[in-house]
Amino acid sequence: MTINPNISALTSLLSEKSRATILAGLMDGKFHTASELAYMAAIKPQTASFHLSKLVENNIVICENNGRFRYFQLANQEVAHTLEILMAISPPPQIRSLKQSSQLKKLEKARTCYDHLAGRISVKLTNAMQSLEYIERKDKNFIIAPKGEIFFKDLGIDLLALSKKRRSFSHACLDWSERTHHLGGALGNALFERYLELKWIESKANSREIIITRLGEEGFKNYFGIDTTN
């Protein structure tokens, strides 16, 4: 008799294609209705509701009621982090159309990873912050260097408030498309929210895709020295 966690129970949940697609859709960190997730997975709302009930039952997804509507979200950032790792070690998707190719390229460039930025742009930003000596890599986390304390303050990030949050502060999150790490945790989330406030980025409805605005192109170049046009 084994006393280890039942990994097979988790893998069986993820092995169903529609269920895996629903979870990928929830990686944008937002709440979605069953109908919205059904549309993303190209299945009927009743089928999506069945899959969602299984995911809620196994504490992978949470559900909140608002009037007659039910909204679903990933249970926590640990679930999102695990899914991102699984995506990174999974075979690449099979592209069967020009539309799919275009969508994949957009996601590879910039997307949400639950509550922070991911994709090629995020990796560029993480590398730039290391090169500029704002952060340093230490094991599975990034730590803020003295120059970084000044930089993040100037950017409008309250580091003291972030340090009091009951979550990872600034872990190294494996990026599934770049196969390397980007900045996650509370600091990654704070930067993502600040980019939105500055209108450097825009989120796309019912998609993980993140759009870099003209202001963002200038801001990322001026503050981090990176080119976000490619």
Side-chain angles (χ1 to χ4, degrees), residues 1 17-18 23 33 46 56 87 97 125 127 157 164 169-170 172 190 196 198 202 221 225 227-228:
M1 180 177 178
K17 184 177 180 181
S18 296
L23 288 171
T33 64
Q46 297 92 328
V56 170
M87 289 177 181
S97 69
L125 287 168
N127 291 341
I157 305 296
K164 294 179 180 179
F169 181 76
S170 53
L196 287 171
L198 294 169
E202 295 176 350
K221 184 176 182 180
D227 180 6
T228 58

Side-chain angles (χ1 to χ4, degrees), residues 129-163:
M129 284 187 277
Q130 291 182 88
S131 297
L132 293 166
E133 299 182 348
Y134 298 153
I135 59 174
E136 299 173 1
R137 177 71 182 273
K138 186 175 181 180
D139 299 324
K140 296 181 180 181
N141 296 286
F142 292 102
I143 59 174
I144 298 177
K147 289 176 64 176
E149 293 181 5
I150 299 172
F151 172 77
F152 290 121
K153 181 180 179 181
D154 290 342
L155 190 61
I157 305 296
D158 189 341
L159 296 177
L160 180 59
L162 293 182
S163 66

Side-chain angles (χ1 to χ4, degrees), residues 8-131:
S8 62
L10 174 62
T11 56
S12 65
L13 282 171
L14 301 180
S15 64
E16 209 289 324
K17 184 177 180 181
S18 296
R19 205 172 291 155
T21 304
I22 287 173
L23 288 171
L26 289 171
M27 284 289 286
D28 63 2
K30 301 174 184 176
F31 278 97
H32 292 280
T33 64
S35 295
E36 290 172 338
L37 295 167
Y39 176 79
M40 293 181 197
I43 56 178
K44 295 180 179 180
Q46 297 92 328
T47 305
S49 294
F50 168 77
H51 290 313
L52 286 164
S53 66
K54 290 289 186 182
L55 295 170
V56 170
E57 181 183 326
N58 286 272
N59 301 314
I60 295 175
V61 168
I62 59 173
C63 176
E64 288 193 10
N65 296 322
N66 188 353
R68 63 188 183 90
F69 293 103
R70 301 174 71 208
Y71 293 88
F72 300 88
Q73 186 186 49
L74 290 182
N76 50 54
Q77 64 164 346
E78 285 75 21
V79 171
H81 185 50
T82 301
L83 290 174
E84 187 78 3
I85 292 174
L86 290 173
M87 289 177 181
I89 62 176
S90 298
Q94 292 184 341
I95 303 302
R96 294 187 173 88
S97 69
L98 185 61
K99 182 179 179 180
Q100 284 182 317
S101 177
S102 176
Q103 290 175 335
L104 179 60
K105 287 179 180 178
K106 291 176 181 178
L107 288 178
E108 288 176 337
K109 180 178 180 179
R111 64 181 181 276
T112 51
C113 178
Y114 190 56
D115 64 355
H116 60 269
L117 189 64
R120 186 165 61 254
I121 298 303
S122 184
V123 170
K124 279 187 174 184
L125 287 168
T126 302
N127 291 341
M129 284 187 277
Q130 291 182 88
S131 297

